[in-house]
Amino acid sequence: MSLPEEFREEFDSKGETFFQIAETLYENHGDQFTLSDLADEVGLSKSRVSTHLEEPQEGDWVSKNSGDTTYVWNTEKYNPIEIETTDAVFGLYTDLWEVLKRHSRATTGTPAIAGLVLFITAGMMWFLYFGFSVGLFQESVIPITGYFGVGLVLFITGVAVTLLSPTMAIANRAILKIYQVLKNS
């Protein structure tokens, strides 16, 4: 994802580190960064980063939240999600993939992911049921109520599988406490 052309034209006389800071904020437009975060990212002092951010703030490219002194890309002026559709779609799937990877590493996350898949599948079955019921789709070889029934079974199974996550978390916590008691005795 590259900076908007208007931004590059407005600040064409700035150096590489200035654009590194701007690119960090732009590429992570939903995240807030402290001066320390940005300084670490580009290898500059906090005062130098602050100086670099003054002009983009004046031009409304970057917003400063004074309460906790964080900086964020101003999506009201230029929102990459609205303008760069391909990047937005790719970003959504990248973020979703990261969330799924993070949760699949935990034993309690796997049932939650499986439950989510079951909920989505149930939704698709109900969509097909609705579509056949109101005549959006041609006749089905399967009885129309079959779609509703399969969707209902998938939904109930999704609830049951999803409830395994908190059950496993409670069990893990209990096992850990028992282990600690045994270890200390």
Side-chain angles (χ1 to χ4, degrees):
M1 193 180 310
S2 61
L3 289 165
E5 200 56 46
E6 303 92 334
F7 183 90
R8 289 196 175 277
E9 290 172 7
E10 186 173 336
F11 300 107
D12 63 346
S13 63
K14 299 292 182 182
E16 184 177 326
T17 53
F18 172 86
F19 285 106
Q20 280 182 298
I21 295 167
E23 284 174 354
T24 300
L25 290 169
Y26 181 73
E27 290 175 0
N28 302 287
H29 54 272
D31 299 336
Q32 296 185 7
F33 292 87
T34 63
L35 280 175
S36 298
D37 295 337
L38 290 169
D40 292 344
E41 184 78 22
V42 295
L44 292 175
S45 68
K46 290 193 290 188
S47 62
R48 189 75 180 127
V49 170
S50 179
T51 303
H52 277 308
L53 288 171
E54 287 174 5
E55 287 184 62
Q57 277 178 262
E58 292 171 5
D60 283 331
W61 290 99
V62 173
S63 299
K64 178 181 177 182
N65 300 329
S66 54
D68 46 2
T69 318
T70 56
Y71 295 85
V72 65
W73 184 263
N74 184 357
T75 54
E76 288 180 19
K77 176 155 184 148
Y78 196 95
N79 191 344
I81 298 292
E82 294 174 354
I83 297 163
E84 299 176 15
T85 309
T86 305
D87 290 340
V89 170
F90 180 72
L92 170 72
Y93 287 112
T94 302
D95 292 346
L96 180 61
W97 177 247
E98 289 302 316
V99 168
L100 291 175
K101 275 192 339 189
R102 192 171 343 126
H103 285 281
S104 67
R105 288 185 200 128
T107 56
T108 57
T110 305
I113 293 170
L116 175 66
V117 170
L118 289 166
F119 290 140
I120 292 169
T121 308
M124 288 304 302
M125 288 291 123
W126 287 334
F127 173 76
L128 290 171
Y129 168 75
F130 175 76
F132 284 120
S133 296
V134 298
L136 288 175
F137 309 126
Q138 298 295 326
E139 298 257 340
S140 172
V141 204
I142 301 170
I144 296 174
T145 55
Y147 291 103
F148 182 81
V150 170
L152 186 61
V153 168
L154 287 168
F155 181 79
I156 292 169
T157 307
V159 169
V161 169
T162 301
L163 288 176
L164 287 175
S165 284
T167 305
M168 289 173 72
I170 291 167
N172 284 345
R173 197 174 317 129
I175 290 169
L176 182 61
K177 283 183 182 180
I178 292 169
Y179 174 75
Q180 288 175 344
V181 168
L182 292 175
K183 184 180 171 184
N184 292 334
S185 59

